[in-house]
Structure formats: C-alpha cells, structure tokens
Amino acid sequence: MGHMSVVLIGMMGVGKTTMGRLAAKALGYKFIDLDRAIEERAGKRVDAIFAEDGEATFRQMEADTADSLAGAPRVIVSAGGGAPMREGNMARLRAIGVTVYLKASEAMLLQRLEASKKPRPLLQGEGWKEQLTSLLERREPIYMSADFVLEVDHLSRLEIADAIKQIALGAAK
Ligand code: S3P
C-alpha cells in the first residue's frame, strides 16, 4: 500500500504522456514514456521502427521494454495505445504497477489528435478517422480490464493528474 507505480493506458491522443508527466511531478516519481524507452533501446524513432522494421518488430520491442520495467519503484509509465493488445501484455504492464485506463470519448480523441504533432504510423492518410473508430472498438474491451478507469472528458488536467496521484498513493477506490 502507498506509493505504487502506475501505468497509464488508453488511446493515442488521450494525454497519457502529458498527464503522466504532471502526475509524476506531483508525486516526486520518475516519469517513463514507454515509446521513448523503446526509442532509446532501438536507437531510432518509433515511426522509423514501423517504417523500416514493421509493426511486429515494434510490438516485440514494446513487450521487451515493458518487461525491463517490471518492479520499477515509484514510476509513472505511459504506455503506447497498442501496448495492452498483445497477448500477455496487460500482465506485463501490471508487473510494473497499477494500471489506469484514461478513457475519452471518440469526439475528444479526434479533436486532440487533430492538434497533435506526434507522428502516428497507425493513423496515416485519409481514412485515419475510420481507423481510429475501428481501433477504439477493438481496444476498448482490453482497456476496460485496467485496475482503474478514469473518464477524462469532463476533467481538467489538474483533476486528472490528481486522480492519478490518489491512485498511486493507494487512496482511490
Ligand atoms: C500506437 C500508439 C503510439 C505508439 C505507436 C503505436 C498504437 O503511442 O506506441 O505509434 O498502436 O496505438 P501513443 O498512444 O502514445 O500515441
């Protein structure tokens, strides 16, 4: 109890990285972005891994990088949107810390993704909105298996960060 590590999951664009960073600061925890950690291990960017090595290679690196973080004390990890999908990965993420699904409406995700500068290899080209809908449909049931579900649409950034903090401190229900 108290001072648990936390893993944020949820769709691209929901704000896992932003909120994770904020909550980590409030807690005095280390913040780790899983995509960044993969890039450091691979020596190249996520979009380059997708383009040059393919998604399957990226997913293997993602699972391996998650394993390398198992048991890390007092960290907030933001996991890429697809990380929970591979067989066994929810358990891998759970071995790092308590899992929290940052849940947003599709309308909010669309709005945030339109404004986002992060390259997203899975949402390229004209059909990206339809692709988002289909990914969300497939992923939602897995995301919902998180230890906590935090609906973010009507919360401020500070409220979201505070909710994550309460979970890390073992104070949330
Ligand atoms: C992905 C999400 C990305 C990144 C990669 C694949 C996904 O992370 O891991 O582009 O499958 O949803 P974010 O969720 O931080 O955008």
Side-chain angles (χ1 to χ4, degrees), residues 139-150:
R139 291 176 174 185
E140 178 83 1
I142 311 287
Y143 289 161
M144 287 302 288
S145 71
D147 299 309
F148 292 86
V149 177
L150 191 58

Side-chain angles (χ1 to χ4, degrees), residues 13-64:
V14 73
K16 301 179 296 279
T17 303
T18 309
M19 293 311 152
R21 205 170 263 133
L22 258 178
K25 202 167 176 200
L27 282 156
Y29 276 23
K30 185 176 174 196
F31 172 71
I32 299 172
D33 180 75
L34 193 62
D35 281 343
R36 273 295 97 66
I38 295 165
E39 289 177 340
E40 275 163 28
R41 285 161 69 104
K44 56 178 158 180
R45 292 178 47 140
V46 167
D47 47 340
I49 301 171
F50 268 81
E52 294 162 19
D53 310 293
E55 179 170 358
T57 301
F58 173 76
R59 295 300 174 197
Q60 186 60 51
M61 290 174 173
E62 188 171 54
D64 293 343

Side-chain angles (χ1 to χ4, degrees), residues 157-173:
R157 286 155 50 112
L158 271 174
E159 286 169 328
I160 298 166
D162 194 59
I164 296 167
K165 182 178 168 187
Q166 298 309 318
I167 290 169
L169 296 177
K173 276 184 247 93

